[in-house]
Structures are given as structure tokens and as C-alpha cells.
Amino acid sequence: MRRLLLDTDTAGDDTIAILMALRARDAVLEGITINCGNVDFEQQVENALYTVQVAGRSGKVPVYPGSTHPLLKEWRTAKEVHGNDGMGGSYFPKAKQRPETTHAVDAIVDTINSNPGEIDLVEIAPMTNLAIAIRKDPGIVKKVRRFYFMGGSNQYLGNVTPAAEFNIWVDPDAARIVFESGLPATMVGWEICMRRGFLGARELDRIEAMGTGESKFFLAVNREVRRFTKRTYGLDGTECTDSLTMSMVLNPRVASDVRKKFVEVDSTDGPSRGATVVDERGVLGKKPNVDVVYEASQKLFREMLYRTLSGGPV
Ligand code: BDR
Ligand code: CA
């Protein structure tokens, strides 16, 4: 049985990644840690708790609040993408389960130390919690089984700036610490998410036709994202970045072309701040530190997503 620890800025597709992990047949979600990112911090915590409830697992999966600000930069949210509540303006009622009092950083350090070699760490948010955890106890790096993250881009295709993707851009200083730590990392960048994690009107109609609690939840939390995507990219649909990443965690065959590269984060204040600079041709001669996903199976991903939304096991 795989064992996952998930760090999230719960809004929009983060919720679907959580649902998918909670439906996994051969993985257990040990805990959820919250990092500043998409919307107001307390709202993100509530969104995670509510999602656990939607999955019928209330009280079974601890939710640990963590960093409320990036290490050095000012925090800018993505409310314009996900709506003020991060759930497409649904304003769901408060979940029954309440957050833990243990800080996310301590939860990360303790969970990894108590289960050396066992934990797959999944990051679908800015990396502040993780960077502080690594600074607090650098020994955890060698005890993580694998570190998967949604963030960055291998082709300088950003979504916040021309060069930077949101998760890295919010806290590039933290991301730099994580990239340089030696964690065995797999990167799922914005570019591959847009190419293989995008759902168009036809797919969304299919989800609507399912008529399950989960499918209604999916459409509600992604309502604002759909409007934003139309406004910004002229496309009718929603991008599933975090759930595409989770599908690769649960089924490595989803990532069909993965290449080892040296990747560096630009944490300076110039125009490419927050960019992940992938040494494509190895010109720097440095040891690769990241497995970069270049291609993914849209078919396998969608099958897993549809199974999640139909309430079945994944
Ligand atoms: C990432 O930023 C967030 O808005 C999404 O949840 C995803 O993790 C995409 O850039
Ligand atoms: Ca996210």
C-alpha cells in the first residue's frame, strides 16, 4: 500500500486531487498540509476539510494548517481564477471536522521521520511548508520515497508571468531550497497540464451527465475556472493540473515520457522570477536533479478522473 502526504492550497482542482487520492485502491492519504496559495488561508483550510467530507472521510484524514505567507515575497492569491472562496463561489457550509493544532511543517517532518522510505510527498501548492521542513530537519530528504510536484514549466510557458507558473512564482525562494535539497523529484509543469489535463465542453458535459455528488462538486468548484479560462485563453473548458499530477502519483504509467534534467529556479526579481529553468541540452554539465514529465496519457488520466467522479475506486 502506497502512503501519501499531500501539501495543498486547496481551491479548484486541488479538491479533485484530494478526492482522487481518497478513492485510491492502493494508496492511503496520511494527511493534508495547507500552504498559502490560491485564496485566503483559512478558506483553503475549510476547503480541504469540506473536500474530505465530500469523500465521506470526515474525521479520518488530518488537515494541518501551515505557512500563511511565502518566505520572503508578498503573497498574491489567484482568487480571480477560482473565485473568492476558491470553490467557484459555492460558499459551502463549514465541515464537521476541524483542523489539527500541529503545524504543517511539524506534520511533514514527523510523518516522514516516523516512516522512513515509505512516504510519497505530493506538492500541489507553493513550497513554503516543505522548504521550512527541510531547513528544520534536512535528514527528511533521504527518507522520502518520491516527491511529485505540480509546478513550473519546461518550456518557459507561465500562467502568472510569461515565464512563471503560479506555485513556483508565489514562493520562488522556497522552491529553490526544495530543488537544491536532493529530494527525488518529479515535475509536472503547467505546459503538460494544459496539453493533457485540459477538459473541454464535451468532457464537462459527460461529467454533468454522471449526476453524482462528486460530479456536481467538480462542476461547482470549477465554475469560476471555466469562466476565467474562456476570458483568458479563449478556450471553453477547465484545466486539471493537480488531479493530473495525482493521477501520475497513483499510476506512474500516466507519465509516458519522463526525462532527467537539471532544473533551477529563478528567485531573482527580474522578468523571469519564479521560472523553472530546465537545462534541456545539459549545457551546464550539472547532475540532473528532477525527473521532468514531457508527455502524459490523456486517456489514462481521464479514465481515473471519471472513476473518481463516478464515486468508484481508482
Ligand atoms: C497551480 O496553481 C493553482 O492555482 C492550482 O491549484 C495549481 O496547483 C497551477 O498553476
Ligand atoms: Ca494547487
Side-chain angles (χ1 to χ4, degrees):
M1 193 61 99
R2 304 267 303 281
R3 304 177 65 190
L4 316 181
L5 186 60
L6 178 71
D7 191 60
T8 152
D9 52 344
T10 316
D13 190 48
D14 289 74
T15 63
I16 309 306
I18 294 173
L19 277 188
M20 193 181 273
L22 292 176
R23 290 276 181 263
R25 252 184 309 229
D26 51 11
V28 175
L29 185 56
E30 301 281 337
I32 297 173
T33 56
I34 309 292
N35 203 94
C36 60
N38 282 321
V39 295
D40 293 340
F41 189 83
E42 296 306 330
Q43 182 69 57
Q44 297 180 155
V45 175
E46 292 303 328
N47 293 346
L49 292 163
Y50 187 78
T51 306
V52 171
Q53 186 168 301
V54 169
R57 301 286 294 279
S58 199
K60 302 272 169 27
V61 185
V63 173
Y64 304 96
S67 303
T68 54
H69 291 92
L71 290 182
L72 300 174
K73 312 281 185 205
E74 282 300 312
W75 171 22
R76 239 197 59 195
T77 65
K79 287 182 193 171
E80 72 282 11
V81 183
H82 302 285
N84 280 339
D85 68 343
M87 305 291 256
S90 304
Y91 293 95
F92 292 116
K94 225 176 187 165
K96 246 173 61 202
Q97 184 184 334
R98 295 292 82 214
E100 306 300 308
T101 50
T102 304
H103 193 279
V105 168
D106 296 316
I108 293 171
V109 170
D110 294 348
T111 307
I112 295 169
N113 276 331
S114 323
N115 305 282
E118 288 272 308
I119 301 294
D120 283 312
L121 205 49
V122 187
E123 178 65 272
I124 53 175
M127 300 187 180
T128 325
N129 286 336
L130 197 44
I132 300 174
I134 290 168
R135 283 288 192 255
K136 188 171 183 214
D137 182 356
I140 61 170
V141 164
K142 292 248 174 313
K143 298 178 190 162
V144 170
R145 184 176 176 271
R146 183 107 217 132
F147 169 56
Y148 299 85
F149 70 94
M150 188 282 129
S153 169
N154 36 353
Q155 306 289 348
Y156 261 82
L157 178 73
N159 56 4
V160 187
T161 72
E165 176 281 331
F166 182 78
N167 285 344
I168 306 294
W169 179 84
V170 168
D171 198 344
D173 304 287
R176 203 178 168 85
I177 290 170
V178 173
F179 277 59
E180 291 176 355
S181 69
L183 270 179
T186 298
M187 166 169 146
V188 188
W190 176 251
E191 188 264 341
I192 188 69
C193 291
M194 277 305 270
R195 238 169 357 102
R196 299 297 180 223
F198 190 81
L199 300 183
R202 217 176 43 183
E203 289 73 36
L204 296 177
D205 285 348
R206 174 173 175 172
I207 290 172
E208 190 171 2
M210 287 176 183
T212 60
E214 288 86 345
S215 70
K216 289 179 187 147
F217 179 69
F218 176 97
L219 293 169
V221 299
N222 282 301
R223 198 165 28 213
E224 281 297 325
V225 179
R226 191 170 182 179
R227 287 192 194 120
F228 175 85
T229 306
K230 185 84 184 161
R231 258 194 335 265
T232 314
Y233 301 103
L235 298 171
D236 184 17
T238 66
E239 54 274 4
C240 301
T241 52
D242 300 334
S243 53
L244 176 68
T245 304
M246 185 56 77
S247 74
M248 293 180 194
V249 174
L250 299 175
N251 179 2
R253 284 185 306 126
V254 177
S256 53
D257 181 7
V258 182
R259 305 181 208 163
K260 290 187 185 304
K261 300 287 177 191
F262 176 72
V263 187
E264 198 166 9
V265 175
D266 184 350
S267 56
T268 66
D269 284 327
S272 58
R273 173 194 147 200
T276 46
V277 183
V278 180
D279 187 359
E280 192 55 55
R281 290 174 296 119
V283 291
L284 297 174
K286 294 199 176 169
K287 196 167 161 234
N289 58 343
V290 177
D291 284 6
V292 180
V293 176
Y294 280 80
E295 191 49 277
S297 166
Q298 187 179 63
K299 182 170 176 286
L300 283 180
F301 160 63
R302 286 184 180 174
E303 281 169 12
M304 291 174 76
L305 178 73
Y306 294 151
R307 280 205 295 274
T308 302
L309 301 183
S310 62
V314 177

